[in-house]
Amino acid sequence: MPTTTAPTPALTPAGLDHRHGAPAATSLRDVAGHGPSAPLAIENPSVRRWVEDCIALCQPDQVYVCDGTIVEREALYTKGVAEGVFVKLNQQKWPGCYYHRSNSNDVARTEHLTFICTPSKDTAGPTNNWMKDKEAYAKLKGLYHGCMKGRTMYVVPFVMGPIGSPLAKVGVELTDSVYVAVNMQLMTRMGAIAWKELGDSEEWTRCLHSNGDVNPDRRYVCHFPLDNTIWSFGSGYGGNALLGKKCLALRIASYLGRQQDWMAEHMLLMNVQAPNGERTYVAAAFPSACGKTNFAMLIPPEQYQIAGWKITTLGDDIVWMWVDEAGKLRAINPEAGYFGVVPGTNSKSNPNALASMKRDTIFTNVALVPLADGTYDVWWEDHDEPAPAKAIDWQGNEWTPASSTKAAHPNSRFTAPMANNPVLDPAADDPNGVPVGAIIFGGRRSKSVPLVFQAFNWMHGVYLGATLGSETTAAATGQVGVVRRDPMAMLPFIGYNIRDYLVHWFRMRKKMADCPRIFHVNWFRKNAQGKYMWPGFGENMRVLEWIVNRAKGRAYAKETLLGWMPRMKDINLEGLTISSDDFHELETVNADEFKAEILSQEELFLKLAGDLPKEMVFQRELLISRL
Ligand code: OXD
Ligand code: MN
């Protein structure tokens, strides 16, 4: 590693001074009176009216309407570099890549500051923070008032979903963050294409975002599902600020899906192609930072590759599903990019993610490494390359391998367009989506929960999903490593009452002629010595093969009290050094441990109290009777 002579770049915390520079001027409107004033380049009357209202409220100096072009992206980066929001990385090593460091109080989703805002609390249900909609509007209006003085307001039109898909949805985000504007270009189908998709329609999601002064005491992520509106203030963090993602594609979309008979889920979507060319599309729900990106981009072990197995990715975080005329569940990924966790990514854990972030990527809160020629590299824990002699850590402090702190924040992220993924599935952009052959639920459980089992049927599968437990991670603020119930990995993302959400899952079955088989996996079980018992990563292909074969009615399974489970000989373990004792331990179901598990599910059941769908009660009774 060359010696570090480059100066520490002066990064302005997001949300402070945005006064200098200007992007391409074609659709720039100067509202502060110094310079030429252009009309807003927005044809849709309902959007134009709303933008005018928001300008009056937020009082930006300038308004810039994004067109989604590469030229624009470069202009935005140039502006962001001038403002200290971005650092350009060494372009030989990282073509088109930039670095961003957020305010250190703003590095993860803030679930306690995230609200569902409706007239009645019952619409939000017992698992969401609720604010009366009128009160939320009043409170946030006070915060937005004049908040963009001295700043540029970016008008970001975007589409969630492949263009022309029956589920594709248009949103318009207004933001004072150039970081958010560029991220939205990477994560969604952004720009002129959205105006075309929208036409004159009034059906679009109104997304207003301001970094404010990035103060956690004035931070709110508010959803108004009845108004198709999102208001986010005081945070520049991805999940709080890129409003197309968690806010629209999960919280608002889950609410719309229930009204319109479709589903928005926190799932990856992948294709498993067998040697004979047969394709099985698999959707899998794991809580945040439990390996969805790694699983979606899995590289099969060598003997599988030689035999002709292939894995391709459609999405790594969100899936929208509907039932087609033939009664088949179909799915699309509404996003166009990845916002993935960086630490731990290396050529062993996820070579495809590494390849995806090789160009045109934003790195947020990893370590910045000054190089001898005055340019910058990046580094993170568990990188292939050894730690640099000196770096600037995610908080902007000098870091050396002797430091006791982490160089990259555990929730540091990369934003990359999905087109970068070497194993992108050809159907990722298909408006008709793909048929779902299997649904997998999984959590991070060091004890009790076996490697894999299959639900007896859809109803049982919904119960498994609804009672999913996982140890918490750094993706949200709060204690890490405690088991919490995370129904369908959607606990922080269900945009309405969980009771109605579960009923919706049960009801969707009635629309399907045949339904996908449902499975449960746990890659994280540990032995008495605290070591992981399953190698995970590419080796998960072995479990996936059994899942695909079960979904196609081909593989054997034994009946257990939890569900259908493979025997050792039903899983291809060739080339793996796992003893039969270890495999049996990995698949052990201990009735006493499961009694405790059922007790710990009470936490969720109590919250739902009298509102628990009856199917859930019956499934629990059946499980207890099997114990
Ligand atoms: C994410 C999350 O960023 O789930 O995907 O937190
Ligand atoms: Mn996620």
Side-chain angles (χ1 to χ4, degrees), residues 47 57 166 173 181 200 235 367 425 464 477 541 566:
V47 178
L57 177 63
E173 175 161 356
D200 274 348
S235 166
D425 191 87
L464 292 179
T477 50
M541 179 68 221

Side-chain angles (χ1 to χ4, degrees), residues 296-316:
M297 297 181 180
L298 174 157
I299 297 188
E302 203 177 331
Q303 82 257 33
Y304 277 85
Q305 292 179 40
I306 293 168
W309 289 89
K310 278 196 199 110
I311 299 292
T312 42
T313 318
L314 289 103
D316 77 330

Side-chain angles (χ1 to χ4, degrees), residues 454 546 550 555-560 563-567 570:
Q454 181 188 348
W546 180 78
R550 284 294 296 172
Y556 188 84
K558 63 176 194 256
E559 188 183 318
T560 73
W564 298 105
M565 210 178 275
R567 300 161 303 180
D570 299 316

Side-chain angles (χ1 to χ4, degrees), residues 102-108 110 213-216 219 234-235 394 477:
S102 73
N103 195 309
S104 61
N105 73 29
D106 190 29
V107 292
T110 41
D213 55 357
V214 202
N215 180 340
R219 182 170 293 159
S235 166
W394 67 273
T477 50

Side-chain angles (χ1 to χ4, degrees), residues 70 122 125 156 205 207 213 225 232 263 317 367 425 441 487 504 511 516 543 591 596 622:
I70 297 291
D122 186 63
V156 184
T205 308
C207 309
D213 55 357
S232 166
M263 305 165 90
D317 196 40
D425 191 87
F441 293 113
H504 185 48
K511 301 194 170 299
V543 174
L622 285 171

Side-chain angles (χ1 to χ4, degrees), residues 1-286:
M1 183 59 53
T3 50
T4 55
T5 55
T8 302
L11 278 176
T12 315
L16 295 186
D17 189 12
H18 285 236
R19 223 174 283 241
H20 341 270
T26 46
S27 46
L28 184 72
R29 182 201 209 185
D30 191 328
V31 279
H34 31 82
S37 219
L40 276 176
I42 299 171
E43 280 171 24
N44 181 299
S46 61
V47 178
R48 208 171 44 236
R49 270 197 311 274
W50 175 73
V51 176
E52 294 287 6
D53 287 350
C54 293
I55 291 172
L57 177 63
C58 302
Q59 301 167 22
D61 273 16
Q62 295 179 320
V63 181
Y64 173 73
V65 183
C66 293
D67 61 16
T69 57
I70 297 291
V71 175
E72 171 183 272
R73 193 191 303 172
E74 278 162 12
L76 294 177
Y77 275 132
T78 304
K79 183 170 157 63
V81 168
E83 291 174 357
V85 173
F86 288 119
V87 173
K88 191 172 194 165
L89 296 180
N90 179 302
Q91 296 294 296
Q92 254 91 49
K93 186 165 181 192
W94 299 105
C97 295
Y98 288 79
Y99 174 81
H100 172 76
R101 186 184 310 128
S102 73
N103 195 309
S104 61
N105 73 29
D106 190 29
V107 292
R109 282 183 295 98
T110 41
E111 292 175 9
H112 60 296
L113 304 174
T114 298
F115 293 84
I116 300 298
C117 308
T118 50
S120 129
K121 184 166 170 37
D122 186 63
T123 319
T127 56
N128 280 309
N129 301 314
W130 173 77
M131 228 191 287
K132 200 170 182 59
D133 50 356
K134 279 193 184 137
E135 272 165 34
Y137 279 130
K139 186 188 271 274
L140 269 79
K141 263 190 188 158
L143 296 171
Y144 283 126
H145 187 256
C147 71
M148 295 190 191
K149 276 186 186 152
R151 300 183 188 179
T152 300
M153 173 191 275
Y154 300 91
V155 179
V156 184
F158 61 96
V159 184
M160 300 309 292
I163 304 298
S165 164
L167 291 192
K169 296 271 174 281
V170 174
V172 181
E173 175 161 356
L174 305 183
T175 177
D176 55 11
S177 161
V178 69
Y179 169 79
V180 167
V182 189
N183 267 273
M184 287 296 285
Q185 195 183 106
L186 299 174
M187 292 299 296
T188 70
R189 290 146 179 102
M190 188 271 253
I193 194 144
W195 299 134
K196 216 164 144 204
E197 181 83 2
L198 182 63
D200 274 348
S201 169
E202 296 196 358
E203 234 180 85
W204 48 278
T205 308
R206 287 125 178 95
C207 309
L208 178 58
H209 167 256
S210 171
N211 276 333
D213 55 357
V214 202
N215 180 340
D217 294 337
R218 285 190 289 277
R219 182 170 293 159
Y220 293 94
V221 186
C222 288
H223 304 73
F224 303 86
L226 276 66
D227 305 337
N228 204 354
T229 292
I230 303 155
W231 279 15
S232 166
F233 188 90
S235 166
Y237 174 73
N240 293 337
L242 312 181
L243 301 185
K245 192 173 177 63
K246 302 299 183 182
C247 302
L248 192 167
L250 287 176
R251 298 196 189 96
I252 295 288
S254 61
Y255 174 84
L256 293 175
R258 175 163 174 268
Q259 316 284 312
Q260 302 164 1
D261 283 340
W262 54 279
M263 305 165 90
E265 298 298 332
H266 192 201
M267 291 176 172
L268 64 92
L269 185 61
M270 71 204 297
N271 176 243
V272 185
Q273 190 177 323
N276 65 3
E278 177 192 71
R279 290 172 162 267
T280 308
Y281 296 94
V282 176
F286 305 155

